[in-house]
Amino acid sequence: MSTFFKVSNLSVRIGDAPILRNINLEFREGEVTALLGHNGSGKSTLLKVLARHRKPAQGAVSLVGRPIKGLGARELARTVGYLDQHPPATDGLTVHELVSLGRYPWRGPLGRYDKKDQHQIDQAIADTNLGHFRHRSVDTLSGGERQRAWIALLLAQQTRCLLLDEPISALDVKHQVETLRLVHRLARQRALTVIVVLHDVDLAARFCDRLVAIRKGQLVADGRPEEIMDTGILETIYDVPMGVLERAPGQWVSYVH
């Protein structure tokens, strides 16, 4: 797999506080990667840097071999879709209207949508199983359904990459699993690169190809789930005594001693 994002010697500060320090990472095309770590470890900040929502103090980020800072806003939006942990209010928009906003980078504020645009909107709604909610107000949907609507917007945007910041943090267990299963399926069907911030390491190991962990602003672990779901590595990440059981092939349960 070729490199999608390359992060070189990246450091981020907020005021005098260092948030990320000397991060070197590559994210490969078509791979689903979970960013793990304590609250305040810097994982959401890294996602914001990739989305160009925060500037680094030093270092560089390239996107498919090009410096990200040199890309135009619309060009970046056609390639990378970012979903914040707290999406903005939808103000009565229907699911169809919200998903239609994903065509903005291609048409602009005054552009007219053609058949291709409508096809992308319809396909995004179908791929997220929201067809029967098409004309419902997003405000009336459950948390899991709203999250699917926002993901559909990113799909309509025709991005090659999804950056998802804690997309399951406000959901119950059923909708957490459904959302991650959806993301995993979409990544395979559409050959998407996905980088997702998660707190639940067990779900991350189940639905992601790769786990990357940050602790106190520094990279402390990077590998496949079967490599990271190890007692010593998890203790390094979370700084508590932990154990791991593999209850079935590819399904781990971690616990605190």
Side-chain angles (χ1 to χ4, degrees), residues 79-240:
T79 310
V80 178
Y82 171 70
L83 181 57
D84 193 272
Q85 182 182 355
H86 304 291
T90 50
D91 295 327
L93 291 175
T94 66
V95 168
H96 183 271
E97 289 168 339
L98 177 66
V99 176
S100 296
L101 295 177
R103 300 306 297 161
Y104 177 87
W106 299 90
R107 296 301 176 204
L110 301 178
R112 293 185 177 182
Y113 289 177
D114 59 19
K115 290 183 179 179
K116 178 182 177 181
D117 296 304
Q118 193 56 56
H119 171 75
Q120 293 296 334
I121 294 164
D122 291 343
Q123 189 65 54
I125 290 174
D127 284 351
T128 50
N129 301 316
L130 288 170
H132 50 300
F133 295 125
R134 172 185 295 268
H135 301 297
R136 279 267 300 273
S137 169
V138 178
D139 298 335
T140 67
L141 302 181
S142 70
E145 292 159 354
R146 284 197 301 273
Q147 203 70 316
R148 280 157 49 200
W150 283 103
I151 291 172
L153 181 152
L154 300 184
L155 296 180
Q157 202 170 311
Q158 281 185 277
T159 61
R160 295 167 54 190
C161 173
L162 304 182
L163 304 176
L164 308 175
D165 192 358
E166 298 192 35
I168 64 172
S169 61
L171 305 181
D172 58 39
V173 173
K174 177 177 182 292
H175 287 106
Q176 287 181 354
V177 171
E178 287 179 351
T179 298
L180 291 180
R181 186 174 286 128
L182 170 67
V183 169
H184 187 271
R185 174 172 61 79
L186 292 172
R188 295 293 178 266
Q189 288 178 346
R190 292 181 173 234
L192 297 172
T193 302
V194 179
I195 306 171
V196 54
V197 173
L198 294 173
H199 280 292
D200 191 314
V201 66
D202 299 343
L203 287 177
R206 182 174 176 183
F207 291 105
C208 299
D209 305 309
R210 178 183 175 200
L211 308 182
V212 171
I214 299 174
R215 183 166 181 249
K216 297 181 179 179
Q218 295 183 302
L219 181 66
V220 294
D222 179 3
R224 298 186 304 275
E226 59 267 29
E227 297 169 330
I228 302 302
M229 296 303 286
D230 169 84
T231 297
I233 293 176
L234 292 184
E235 288 180 357
T236 297
I237 297 170
Y238 295 106
D239 198 27
V240 291

